[in-house]
Amino acid sequence: MAVHDGHRERLKERFRSEGLDGFTEVQVLELLLFYSVPRKDTNEIAHALLEKFGTLAQVLDANPADLEKVPGMGSSSALFLKLLSAAGRRYQISRTESATILRTLEQCGAYLQPRFFGRKHEAVFLLCLDAKCKVLACKQVGEGSVNSAGVPIRRIVETALSANATMVVLAHNHPSGLALPSADDIQTTKRLAVALDTVEITLIDHLVFSDDDYVSMAQSGYYKPGESMCVL
């Protein structure tokens, strides 16, 4: 037990002084598991996790039930690892919350991107802005499987109206593919633009995200929005 204690303190001290940049993925997992596995050799568990799932990212994205099947992993450890990616997403969102004025599509993309961090299924978000480009709300309005996302047009219109929005940006992700709009994405965007126009709200753009990349349907020519007062 004393050997394990000394190793744990050395690894913790190394992180304090150097950060994680020099750590292997095994060492990162080993260090993380110190906080949910108090009395076992977490190096063996870390190796087993990477052997089963492949990479650190795949471990953190794994289903908790599958994580629990790895020897040495219990429900608390599985929940702890799942909490990390969820907390990372909330951290990124929190960092963007102060940017309440979004004057360009690039700023809108940067604001929305953290919402899709670590997601393995499609999700649809609506960013609501007033005439001065102030963020009024950013809400999830739909979700779907890895291959398709439901885009409930009525719900989107109601969300925009309840936020008293003048303009909106729609965004969804392609977790397992390229950040390119499908034919269904383009058709849905056009239908939504018409529905919003009837209540005098402009659909500025529809952004499609995949990992760290995204495509603007307006800038790429897939969709032509109406005039906007502040988005360039």
Side-chain angles (χ1 to χ4, degrees):
M1 183 65 186
V3 173
H4 291 323
D5 285 345
H7 175 66
R8 288 183 177 221
E9 286 307 312
R10 286 192 296 272
L11 207 59
K12 289 178 183 179
E13 184 55 38
R14 181 181 165 193
F15 169 65
R16 291 189 192 101
S17 60
E18 301 176 12
L20 283 180
D21 290 346
F23 279 53
T24 65
E25 293 198 337
V26 167
Q27 290 170 330
V28 172
L29 278 172
E30 185 181 3
L31 177 61
L32 290 172
L33 290 170
F34 287 169
Y35 299 95
S36 62
V37 183
R39 299 185 182 279
K40 290 183 182 179
D41 180 2
T42 60
N43 181 272
E44 292 183 5
I45 303 173
H47 274 287
L49 285 167
L50 288 172
E51 183 176 347
K52 179 176 178 62
F53 297 104
T55 67
L56 175 63
Q58 290 171 317
V59 170
L60 298 182
D61 287 339
N63 186 290
D66 292 329
L67 290 171
E68 290 183 38
K69 295 176 183 177
V70 174
M73 288 288 293
S75 59
S76 294
S77 292
L79 183 62
F80 176 67
L81 292 183
K82 292 303 298 179
L83 175 62
L84 293 174
S85 59
R89 181 164 61 245
R90 288 296 298 271
Y91 166 75
Q92 292 193 43
I93 291 171
S94 179
R95 289 191 65 183
T96 65
E97 290 298 320
S98 59
T100 56
I101 304 296
L102 306 176
R103 298 188 180 279
T104 68
L105 290 176
E106 289 74 17
Q107 289 174 342
C108 291
Y111 186 91
L112 285 160
Q113 194 158 32
R115 272 76 182 167
F116 301 104
F117 174 79
R119 291 187 184 272
K120 304 310 292 180
H121 297 277
E122 289 198 5
V124 185
F125 281 82
L126 188 70
L127 174 61
C128 300
L129 307 170
D130 68 10
K132 295 182 179 180
C133 293
K134 179 181 178 181
V135 176
L136 300 173
C138 186
K139 296 184 178 181
Q140 184 173 347
V141 292
E143 59 185 358
S145 68
V146 172
N147 297 318
S148 64
V151 183
I153 289 180
R154 179 172 179 175
R155 182 178 179 185
I156 291 172
V157 173
E158 290 174 348
T159 300
L161 285 171
S162 67
N164 199 27
T166 301
M167 302 172 289
V168 297
V169 176
L170 188 68
H172 82 282
N173 62 325
H174 289 172
S176 61
L178 299 174
L180 291 174
S182 66
D184 286 343
D185 292 338
I186 296 169
Q187 189 61 34
T188 299
T189 302
K190 293 177 179 179
R191 290 171 51 215
L192 177 59
V194 172
L196 287 166
D197 188 60
T198 62
V199 291
E200 299 182 340
I201 298 174
T202 301
L203 176 62
I204 296 300
D205 203 351
H206 184 169
L207 305 181
V208 183
F209 289 83
S210 181
D211 295 326
D212 296 328
D213 188 26
Y214 72 89
V215 168
S216 157
M217 290 180 60
Q219 291 182 336
S220 301
Y222 294 106
Y223 165 67
K224 294 183 179 180
E227 292 185 1
S228 132
M229 293 182 62
C230 59
V231 177
L232 304 178

